[in-house]
mmCIF file with all atom_site columns, all heavy atoms in Angstrom:
data_model
loop_
_atom_site.group_PDB
_atom_site.id
_atom_site.type_symbol
_atom_site.label_atom_id
_atom_site.label_alt_id
_atom_site.label_comp_id
_atom_site.label_asym_id
_atom_site.label_entity_id
_atom_site.label_seq_id
_atom_site.pdbx_PDB_ins_code
_atom_site.Cartn_x
_atom_site.Cartn_y
_atom_site.Cartn_z
_atom_site.occupancy
_atom_site.B_iso_or_equiv
_atom_site.pdbx_formal_charge
_atom_site.auth_seq_id
_atom_site.auth_comp_id
_atom_site.auth_asym_id
_atom_site.auth_atom_id
_atom_site.pdbx_PDB_model_num
ATOM 1   N N   . ALA D 1 159 ? 91.400  52.913 150.344 1.00 0.00 ? 159 ALA D N   1
ATOM 2   C CA  . ALA D 1 159 ? 91.537  52.563 151.757 1.00 0.00 ? 159 ALA D CA  1
ATOM 3   C C   . ALA D 1 159 ? 90.286  51.818 152.210 1.00 0.00 ? 159 ALA D C   1
ATOM 4   O O   . ALA D 1 159 ? 89.165  52.191 151.863 1.00 0.00 ? 159 ALA D O   1
ATOM 5   C CB  . ALA D 1 159 ? 91.741  53.816 152.594 1.00 0.00 ? 159 ALA D CB  1
ATOM 6   N N   . ILE D 1 160 ? 90.493  50.762 152.961 1.00 0.00 ? 160 ILE D N   1
ATOM 7   C CA  . ILE D 1 160 ? 89.408  50.014 153.592 1.00 0.00 ? 160 ILE D CA  1
ATOM 8   C C   . ILE D 1 160 ? 89.530  50.261 155.093 1.00 0.00 ? 160 ILE D C   1
ATOM 9   O O   . ILE D 1 160 ? 90.592  50.014 155.678 1.00 0.00 ? 160 ILE D O   1
ATOM 10  C CB  . ILE D 1 160 ? 89.521  48.497 153.289 1.00 0.00 ? 160 ILE D CB  1
ATOM 11  C CG1 . ILE D 1 160 ? 89.613  48.220 151.785 1.00 0.00 ? 160 ILE D CG1 1
ATOM 12  C CG2 . ILE D 1 160 ? 88.390  47.726 153.946 1.00 0.00 ? 160 ILE D CG2 1
ATOM 13  C CD1 . ILE D 1 160 ? 88.374  48.513 151.000 1.00 0.00 ? 160 ILE D CD1 1
ATOM 14  N N   . ASN D 1 161 ? 88.480  50.762 155.699 1.00 0.00 ? 161 ASN D N   1
ATOM 15  C CA  . ASN D 1 161 ? 88.530  51.068 157.125 1.00 0.00 ? 161 ASN D CA  1
ATOM 16  C C   . ASN D 1 161 ? 88.092  49.846 157.928 1.00 0.00 ? 161 ASN D C   1
ATOM 17  O O   . ASN D 1 161 ? 86.986  49.325 157.741 1.00 0.00 ? 161 ASN D O   1
ATOM 18  C CB  . ASN D 1 161 ? 87.619  52.263 157.440 1.00 0.00 ? 161 ASN D CB  1
ATOM 19  C CG  . ASN D 1 161 ? 87.803  52.732 158.862 1.00 0.00 ? 161 ASN D CG  1
ATOM 20  O OD1 . ASN D 1 161 ? 87.285  52.136 159.793 1.00 0.00 ? 161 ASN D OD1 1
ATOM 21  N ND2 . ASN D 1 161 ? 88.547  53.823 159.027 1.00 0.00 ? 161 ASN D ND2 1
ATOM 22  N N   . ILE D 1 162 ? 88.987  49.387 158.798 1.00 0.00 ? 162 ILE D N   1
ATOM 23  C CA  . ILE D 1 162 ? 88.704  48.227 159.643 1.00 0.00 ? 162 ILE D CA  1
ATOM 24  C C   . ILE D 1 162 ? 88.960  48.625 161.094 1.00 0.00 ? 162 ILE D C   1
ATOM 25  O O   . ILE D 1 162 ? 90.082  48.988 161.447 1.00 0.00 ? 162 ILE D O   1
ATOM 26  C CB  . ILE D 1 162 ? 89.577  47.015 159.251 1.00 0.00 ? 162 ILE D CB  1
ATOM 27  C CG1 . ILE D 1 162 ? 89.375  46.680 157.770 1.00 0.00 ? 162 ILE D CG1 1
ATOM 28  C CG2 . ILE D 1 162 ? 89.246  45.815 160.132 1.00 0.00 ? 162 ILE D CG2 1
ATOM 29  C CD1 . ILE D 1 162 ? 90.319  45.633 157.223 1.00 0.00 ? 162 ILE D CD1 1
ATOM 30  N N   . ASP D 1 163 ? 87.914  48.590 161.884 1.00 0.00 ? 163 ASP D N   1
ATOM 31  C CA  . ASP D 1 163 ? 88.004  48.977 163.296 1.00 0.00 ? 163 ASP D CA  1
ATOM 32  C C   . ASP D 1 163 ? 88.654  50.349 163.478 1.00 0.00 ? 163 ASP D C   1
ATOM 33  O O   . ASP D 1 163 ? 89.462  50.564 164.382 1.00 0.00 ? 163 ASP D O   1
ATOM 34  C CB  . ASP D 1 163 ? 88.770  47.922 164.107 1.00 0.00 ? 163 ASP D CB  1
ATOM 35  C CG  . ASP D 1 163 ? 87.996  46.612 164.223 1.00 0.00 ? 163 ASP D CG  1
ATOM 36  O OD1 . ASP D 1 163 ? 86.744  46.658 164.218 1.00 0.00 ? 163 ASP D OD1 1
ATOM 37  O OD2 . ASP D 1 163 ? 88.631  45.545 164.300 1.00 0.00 ? 163 ASP D OD2 1
ATOM 38  N N   . GLY D 1 164 ? 88.333  51.285 162.584 1.00 0.00 ? 164 GLY D N   1
ATOM 39  C CA  . GLY D 1 164 ? 88.824  52.651 162.700 1.00 0.00 ? 164 GLY D CA  1
ATOM 40  C C   . GLY D 1 164 ? 90.195  52.897 162.115 1.00 0.00 ? 164 GLY D C   1
ATOM 41  O O   . GLY D 1 164 ? 90.677  54.033 162.111 1.00 0.00 ? 164 GLY D O   1
ATOM 42  N N   . LEU D 1 165 ? 90.855  51.856 161.586 1.00 0.00 ? 165 LEU D N   1
ATOM 43  C CA  . LEU D 1 165 ? 92.174  52.009 160.962 1.00 0.00 ? 165 LEU D CA  1
ATOM 44  C C   . LEU D 1 165 ? 92.053  51.827 159.452 1.00 0.00 ? 165 LEU D C   1
ATOM 45  O O   . LEU D 1 165 ? 91.287  50.974 158.987 1.00 0.00 ? 165 LEU D O   1
ATOM 46  C CB  . LEU D 1 165 ? 93.163  50.982 161.524 1.00 0.00 ? 165 LEU D CB  1
ATOM 47  C CG  . LEU D 1 165 ? 93.467  51.081 163.019 1.00 0.00 ? 165 LEU D CG  1
ATOM 48  C CD1 . LEU D 1 165 ? 94.294  49.886 163.471 1.00 0.00 ? 165 LEU D CD1 1
ATOM 49  C CD2 . LEU D 1 165 ? 94.181  52.385 163.339 1.00 0.00 ? 165 LEU D CD2 1
ATOM 50  N N   . ASN D 1 166 ? 92.821  52.610 158.688 1.00 0.00 ? 166 ASN D N   1
ATOM 51  C CA  . ASN D 1 166 ? 92.787  52.507 157.228 1.00 0.00 ? 166 ASN D CA  1
ATOM 52  C C   . ASN D 1 166 ? 93.832  51.530 156.711 1.00 0.00 ? 166 ASN D C   1
ATOM 53  O O   . ASN D 1 166 ? 95.002  51.597 157.096 1.00 0.00 ? 166 ASN D O   1
ATOM 54  C CB  . ASN D 1 166 ? 93.006  53.880 156.589 1.00 0.00 ? 166 ASN D CB  1
ATOM 55  C CG  . ASN D 1 166 ? 91.761  54.738 156.654 1.00 0.00 ? 166 ASN D CG  1
ATOM 56  O OD1 . ASN D 1 166 ? 90.641  54.231 156.710 1.00 0.00 ? 166 ASN D OD1 1
ATOM 57  N ND2 . ASN D 1 166 ? 91.942  56.050 156.661 1.00 0.00 ? 166 ASN D ND2 1
ATOM 58  N N   . TYR D 1 167 ? 93.386  50.655 155.826 1.00 0.00 ? 167 TYR D N   1
ATOM 59  C CA  . TYR D 1 167 ? 94.245  49.679 155.165 1.00 0.00 ? 167 TYR D CA  1
ATOM 60  C C   . TYR D 1 167 ? 94.135  49.890 153.660 1.00 0.00 ? 167 TYR D C   1
ATOM 61  O O   . TYR D 1 167 ? 93.033  50.077 153.135 1.00 0.00 ? 167 TYR D O   1
ATOM 62  C CB  . TYR D 1 167 ? 93.804  48.253 155.492 1.00 0.00 ? 167 TYR D CB  1
ATOM 63  C CG  . TYR D 1 167 ? 94.018  47.846 156.933 1.00 0.00 ? 167 TYR D CG  1
ATOM 64  C CD1 . TYR D 1 167 ? 93.151  48.276 157.931 1.00 0.00 ? 167 TYR D CD1 1
ATOM 65  C CD2 . TYR D 1 167 ? 95.086  47.028 157.293 1.00 0.00 ? 167 TYR D CD2 1
ATOM 66  C CE1 . TYR D 1 167 ? 93.335  47.890 159.257 1.00 0.00 ? 167 TYR D CE1 1
ATOM 67  C CE2 . TYR D 1 167 ? 95.277  46.638 158.614 1.00 0.00 ? 167 TYR D CE2 1
ATOM 68  C CZ  . TYR D 1 167 ? 94.396  47.081 159.586 1.00 0.00 ? 167 TYR D CZ  1
ATOM 69  O OH  . TYR D 1 167 ? 94.587  46.701 160.894 1.00 0.00 ? 167 TYR D OH  1
ATOM 70  N N   . ILE D 1 168 ? 95.262  49.842 152.970 1.00 0.00 ? 168 ILE D N   1
ATOM 71  C CA  . ILE D 1 168 ? 95.267  49.967 151.511 1.00 0.00 ? 168 ILE D CA  1
ATOM 72  C C   . ILE D 1 168 ? 95.024  48.584 150.898 1.00 0.00 ? 168 ILE D C   1
ATOM 73  O O   . ILE D 1 168 ? 95.694  47.606 151.248 1.00 0.00 ? 168 ILE D O   1
ATOM 74  C CB  . ILE D 1 168 ? 96.619  50.525 150.995 1.00 0.00 ? 168 ILE D CB  1
ATOM 75  C CG1 . ILE D 1 168 ? 96.924  51.881 151.636 1.00 0.00 ? 168 ILE D CG1 1
ATOM 76  C CG2 . ILE D 1 168 ? 96.612  50.633 149.474 1.00 0.00 ? 168 ILE D CG2 1
ATOM 77  C CD1 . ILE D 1 168 ? 95.956  52.973 151.314 1.00 0.00 ? 168 ILE D CD1 1
ATOM 78  N N   . LEU D 1 169 ? 94.069  48.520 149.977 1.00 0.00 ? 169 LEU D N   1
ATOM 79  C CA  . LEU D 1 169 ? 93.760  47.265 149.289 1.00 0.00 ? 169 LEU D CA  1
ATOM 80  C C   . LEU D 1 169 ? 94.694  47.102 148.095 1.00 0.00 ? 169 LEU D C   1
ATOM 81  O O   . LEU D 1 169 ? 94.790  47.997 147.250 1.00 0.00 ? 169 LEU D O   1
ATOM 82  C CB  . LEU D 1 169 ? 92.304  47.276 148.824 1.00 0.00 ? 169 LEU D CB  1
ATOM 83  C CG  . LEU D 1 169 ? 91.834  46.079 147.998 1.00 0.00 ? 169 LEU D CG  1
ATOM 84  C CD1 . LEU D 1 169 ? 91.958  44.767 148.779 1.00 0.00 ? 169 LEU D CD1 1
ATOM 85  C CD2 . LEU D 1 169 ? 90.389  46.297 147.539 1.00 0.00 ? 169 LEU D CD2 1
ATOM 86  N N   . VAL D 1 170 ? 95.391  45.974 148.044 1.00 0.00 ? 170 VAL D N   1
ATOM 87  C CA  . VAL D 1 170 ? 96.357  45.702 146.972 1.00 0.00 ? 170 VAL D CA  1
ATOM 88  C C   . VAL D 1 170 ? 96.055  44.333 146.357 1.00 0.00 ? 170 VAL D C   1
ATOM 89  O O   . VAL D 1 170 ? 95.832  43.357 147.074 1.00 0.00 ? 170 VAL D O   1
ATOM 90  C CB  . VAL D 1 170 ? 97.804  45.705 147.516 1.00 0.00 ? 170 VAL D CB  1
ATOM 91  C CG1 . VAL D 1 170 ? 98.807  45.358 146.412 1.00 0.00 ? 170 VAL D CG1 1
ATOM 92  C CG2 . VAL D 1 170 ? 98.140  47.030 148.152 1.00 0.00 ? 170 VAL D CG2 1
ATOM 93  N N   . PHE D 1 171 ? 96.047  44.280 145.025 1.00 0.00 ? 171 PHE D N   1
ATOM 94  C CA  . PHE D 1 171 ? 95.951  43.009 144.305 1.00 0.00 ? 171 PHE D CA  1
ATOM 95  C C   . PHE D 1 171 ? 97.260  42.791 143.562 1.00 0.00 ? 171 PHE D C   1
ATOM 96  O O   . PHE D 1 171 ? 97.817  43.728 142.973 1.00 0.00 ? 171 PHE D O   1
ATOM 97  C CB  . PHE D 1 171 ? 94.778  43.029 143.316 1.00 0.00 ? 171 PHE D CB  1
ATOM 98  C CG  . PHE D 1 171 ? 93.452  42.837 143.967 1.00 0.00 ? 171 PHE D CG  1
ATOM 99  C CD1 . PHE D 1 171 ? 92.776  43.920 144.501 1.00 0.00 ? 171 PHE D CD1 1
ATOM 100 C CD2 . PHE D 1 171 ? 92.873  41.581 144.062 1.00 0.00 ? 171 PHE D CD2 1
ATOM 101 C CE1 . PHE D 1 171 ? 91.547  43.761 145.117 1.00 0.00 ? 171 PHE D CE1 1
ATOM 102 C CE2 . PHE D 1 171 ? 91.650  41.404 144.674 1.00 0.00 ? 171 PHE D CE2 1
ATOM 103 C CZ  . PHE D 1 171 ? 90.981  42.492 145.199 1.00 0.00 ? 171 PHE D CZ  1
ATOM 104 N N   . HIS D 1 172 ? 97.738  41.549 143.565 1.00 0.00 ? 172 HIS D N   1
ATOM 105 C CA  . HIS D 1 172 ? 99.074  41.240 143.054 1.00 0.00 ? 172 HIS D CA  1
ATOM 106 C C   . HIS D 1 172 ? 99.023  39.968 142.219 1.00 0.00 ? 172 HIS D C   1
ATOM 107 O O   . HIS D 1 172 ? 98.451  38.961 142.644 1.00 0.00 ? 172 HIS D O   1
ATOM 108 C CB  . HIS D 1 172 ? 100.000 41.041 144.264 1.00 0.00 ? 172 HIS D CB  1
ATOM 109 C CG  . HIS D 1 172 ? 101.446 40.905 143.940 1.00 0.00 ? 172 HIS D CG  1
ATOM 110 N ND1 . HIS D 1 172 ? 102.010 39.720 143.520 1.00 0.00 ? 172 HIS D ND1 1
ATOM 111 C CD2 . HIS D 1 172 ? 102.458 41.802 144.002 1.00 0.00 ? 172 HIS D CD2 1
ATOM 112 C CE1 . HIS D 1 172 ? 103.319 39.899 143.339 1.00 0.00 ? 172 HIS D CE1 1
ATOM 113 N NE2 . HIS D 1 172 ? 103.612 41.146 143.625 1.00 0.00 ? 172 HIS D NE2 1
ATOM 114 N N   . TRP D 1 173 ? 99.599  40.018 141.017 1.00 0.00 ? 173 TRP D N   1
ATOM 115 C CA  . TRP D 1 173 ? 99.691  38.839 140.149 1.00 0.00 ? 173 TRP D CA  1
ATOM 116 C C   . TRP D 1 173 ? 101.121 38.657 139.682 1.00 0.00 ? 173 TRP D C   1
ATOM 117 O O   . TRP D 1 173 ? 101.819 39.625 139.367 1.00 0.00 ? 173 TRP D O   1
ATOM 118 C CB  . TRP D 1 173 ? 98.791  39.005 138.918 1.00 0.00 ? 173 TRP D CB  1
ATOM 119 C CG  . TRP D 1 173 ? 98.922  37.884 137.917 1.00 0.00 ? 173 TRP D CG  1
ATOM 120 C CD1 . TRP D 1 173 ? 98.314  36.667 137.958 1.00 0.00 ? 173 TRP D CD1 1
ATOM 121 C CD2 . TRP D 1 173 ? 99.731  37.876 136.728 1.00 0.00 ? 173 TRP D CD2 1
ATOM 122 N NE1 . TRP D 1 173 ? 98.687  35.909 136.867 1.00 0.00 ? 173 TRP D NE1 1
ATOM 123 C CE2 . TRP D 1 173 ? 99.556  36.631 136.101 1.00 0.00 ? 173 TRP D CE2 1
ATOM 124 C CE3 . TRP D 1 173 ? 100.594 38.823 136.149 1.00 0.00 ? 173 TRP D CE3 1
ATOM 125 C CZ2 . TRP D 1 173 ? 100.203 36.289 134.914 1.00 0.00 ? 173 TRP D CZ2 1
ATOM 126 C CZ3 . TRP D 1 173 ? 101.237 38.482 134.956 1.00 0.00 ? 173 TRP D CZ3 1
ATOM 127 C CH2 . TRP D 1 173 ? 101.030 37.227 134.350 1.00 0.00 ? 173 TRP D CH2 1
ATOM 128 N N   . GLU D 1 174 ? 101.580 37.398 139.658 1.00 0.00 ? 174 GLU D N   1
ATOM 129 C CA  . GLU D 1 174 ? 102.926 37.071 139.170 1.00 0.00 ? 174 GLU D CA  1
ATOM 130 C C   . GLU D 1 174 ? 102.831 36.072 138.025 1.00 0.00 ? 174 GLU D C   1
ATOM 131 O O   . GLU D 1 174 ? 102.123 35.075 138.125 1.00 0.00 ? 174 GLU D O   1
ATOM 132 C CB  . GLU D 1 174 ? 103.768 36.446 140.286 1.00 0.00 ? 174 GLU D CB  1
ATOM 133 C CG  . GLU D 1 174 ? 104.054 37.372 141.434 1.00 0.00 ? 174 GLU D CG  1
ATOM 134 C CD  . GLU D 1 174 ? 104.892 36.683 142.518 1.00 0.00 ? 174 GLU D CD  1
ATOM 135 O OE1 . GLU D 1 174 ? 105.879 36.011 142.149 1.00 0.00 ? 174 GLU D OE1 1
ATOM 136 O OE2 . GLU D 1 174 ? 104.540 36.821 143.682 1.00 0.00 ? 174 GLU D OE2 1
ATOM 137 N N   . GLU D 1 175 ? 103.573 36.355 136.970 1.00 0.00 ? 175 GLU D N   1
ATOM 138 C CA  . GLU D 1 175 ? 103.648 35.410 135.851 1.00 0.00 ? 175 GLU D CA  1
ATOM 139 C C   . GLU D 1 175 ? 104.297 34.104 136.292 1.00 0.00 ? 175 GLU D C   1
ATOM 140 O O   . GLU D 1 175 ? 103.869 33.019 135.891 1.00 0.00 ? 175 GLU D O   1
ATOM 141 C CB  . GLU D 1 175 ? 104.447 36.038 134.706 1.00 0.00 ? 175 GLU D CB  1
ATOM 142 C CG  . GLU D 1 175 ? 104.550 35.163 133.478 1.00 0.00 ? 175 GLU D CG  1
ATOM 143 C CD  . GLU D 1 175 ? 105.403 35.784 132.393 1.00 0.00 ? 175 GLU D CD  1
ATOM 144 O OE1 . GLU D 1 175 ? 105.927 36.901 132.585 1.00 0.00 ? 175 GLU D OE1 1
ATOM 145 O OE2 . GLU D 1 175 ? 105.534 35.148 131.339 1.00 0.00 ? 175 GLU D OE2 1
ATOM 146 N N   . LYS D 1 176 ? 105.339 34.229 137.127 1.00 0.00 ? 176 LYS D N   1
ATOM 147 C CA  . LYS D 1 176 ? 106.061 33.049 137.622 1.00 0.00 ? 176 LYS D CA  1
ATOM 148 C C   . LYS D 1 176 ? 106.132 33.110 139.149 1.00 0.00 ? 176 LYS D C   1
ATOM 149 O O   . LYS D 1 176 ? 107.109 33.610 139.704 1.00 0.00 ? 176 LYS D O   1
ATOM 150 C CB  . LYS D 1 176 ? 107.473 33.000 137.035 1.00 0.00 ? 176 LYS D CB  1
ATOM 151 C CG  . LYS D 1 176 ? 107.510 32.857 135.527 1.00 0.00 ? 176 LYS D CG  1
ATOM 152 C CD  . LYS D 1 176 ? 108.945 32.885 135.027 1.00 0.00 ? 176 LYS D CD  1
ATOM 153 C CE  . LYS D 1 176 ? 109.014 32.819 133.520 1.00 0.00 ? 176 LYS D CE  1
ATOM 154 N NZ  . LYS D 1 176 ? 110.406 32.953 133.028 1.00 0.00 ? 176 LYS D NZ  1
ATOM 155 N N   . PRO D 1 177 ? 105.109 32.618 139.819 1.00 0.00 ? 177 PRO D N   1
ATOM 156 C CA  . PRO D 1 177 ? 105.149 32.648 141.291 1.00 0.00 ? 177 PRO D CA  1
ATOM 157 C C   . PRO D 1 177 ? 106.327 31.838 141.822 1.00 0.00 ? 177 PRO D C   1
ATOM 158 O O   . PRO D 1 177 ? 106.555 30.714 141.382 1.00 0.00 ? 177 PRO D O   1
ATOM 159 C CB  . PRO D 1 177 ? 103.816 32.035 141.707 1.00 0.00 ? 177 PRO D CB  1
ATOM 160 C CG  . PRO D 1 177 ? 103.296 31.335 140.497 1.00 0.00 ? 177 PRO D CG  1
ATOM 161 C CD  . PRO D 1 177 ? 103.883 32.005 139.308 1.00 0.00 ? 177 PRO D CD  1
ATOM 162 N N   . LEU D 1 178 ? 107.079 32.452 142.722 1.00 0.00 ? 178 LEU D N   1
ATOM 163 C CA  . LEU D 1 178 ? 108.317 31.867 143.245 1.00 0.00 ? 178 LEU D CA  1
ATOM 164 C C   . LEU D 1 178 ? 109.244 31.450 142.101 1.00 0.00 ? 178 LEU D C   1
ATOM 165 O O   . LEU D 1 178 ? 109.913 30.418 142.157 1.00 0.00 ? 178 LEU D O   1
ATOM 166 C CB  . LEU D 1 178 ? 108.025 30.697 144.178 1.00 0.00 ? 178 LEU D CB  1
ATOM 167 C CG  . LEU D 1 178 ? 107.254 31.055 145.452 1.00 0.00 ? 178 LEU D CG  1
ATOM 168 C CD1 . LEU D 1 178 ? 107.057 29.827 146.332 1.00 0.00 ? 178 LEU D CD1 1
ATOM 169 C CD2 . LEU D 1 178 ? 107.939 32.157 146.252 1.00 0.00 ? 178 LEU D CD2 1
ATOM 170 N N   . ALA D 1 179 ? 109.246 32.268 141.053 1.00 0.00 ? 179 ALA D N   1
ATOM 171 C CA  . ALA D 1 179 ? 110.151 32.136 139.899 1.00 0.00 ? 179 ALA D CA  1
ATOM 172 C C   . ALA D 1 179 ? 109.955 30.852 139.103 1.00 0.00 ? 179 ALA D C   1
ATOM 173 O O   . ALA D 1 179 ? 110.858 30.398 138.409 1.00 0.00 ? 179 ALA D O   1
ATOM 174 C CB  . ALA D 1 179 ? 111.608 32.243 140.343 1.00 0.00 ? 179 ALA D CB  1
ATOM 175 N N   . SER D 1 180 ? 108.773 30.261 139.155 1.00 0.00 ? 180 SER D N   1
ATOM 176 C CA  . SER D 1 180 ? 108.552 29.039 138.385 1.00 0.00 ? 180 SER D CA  1
ATOM 177 C C   . SER D 1 180 ? 107.279 29.132 137.550 1.00 0.00 ? 180 SER D C   1
ATOM 178 O O   . SER D 1 180 ? 106.301 29.766 137.948 1.00 0.00 ? 180 SER D O   1
ATOM 179 C CB  . SER D 1 180 ? 108.492 27.819 139.311 1.00 0.00 ? 180 SER D CB  1
ATOM 180 O OG  . SER D 1 180 ? 107.438 27.950 140.228 1.00 0.00 ? 180 SER D OG  1
ATOM 181 N N   . PHE D 1 181 ? 107.302 28.485 136.381 1.00 0.00 ? 181 PHE D N   1
ATOM 182 C CA  . PHE D 1 181 ? 106.152 28.465 135.490 1.00 0.00 ? 181 PHE D CA  1
ATOM 183 C C   . PHE D 1 181 ? 105.024 27.669 136.134 1.00 0.00 ? 181 PHE D C   1
ATOM 184 O O   . PHE D 1 181 ? 105.262 26.646 136.771 1.00 0.00 ? 181 PHE D O   1
ATOM 185 C CB  . PHE D 1 181 ? 106.543 27.822 134.152 1.00 0.00 ? 181 PHE D CB  1
ATOM 186 C CG  . PHE D 1 181 ? 105.373 27.595 133.240 1.00 0.00 ? 181 PHE D CG  1
ATOM 187 C CD1 . PHE D 1 181 ? 104.820 28.645 132.516 1.00 0.00 ? 181 PHE D CD1 1
ATOM 188 C CD2 . PHE D 1 181 ? 104.809 26.336 133.126 1.00 0.00 ? 181 PHE D CD2 1
ATOM 189 C CE1 . PHE D 1 181 ? 103.724 28.430 131.674 1.00 0.00 ? 181 PHE D CE1 1
ATOM 190 C CE2 . PHE D 1 181 ? 103.729 26.115 132.284 1.00 0.00 ? 181 PHE D CE2 1
ATOM 191 C CZ  . PHE D 1 181 ? 103.189 27.171 131.559 1.00 0.00 ? 181 PHE D CZ  1
#
Side-chain angles (χ1 to χ4, degrees):
I160 306 292
N161 188 281
I162 304 172
D163 292 330
L165 298 172
N166 283 334
Y167 292 78
I168 303 297
L169 176 61
V170 177
F171 282 85
H172 188 279
W173 175 82
E174 295 180 46
E175 182 183 0
K176 297 177 183 176
L178 297 182
S180 60
F181 172 78

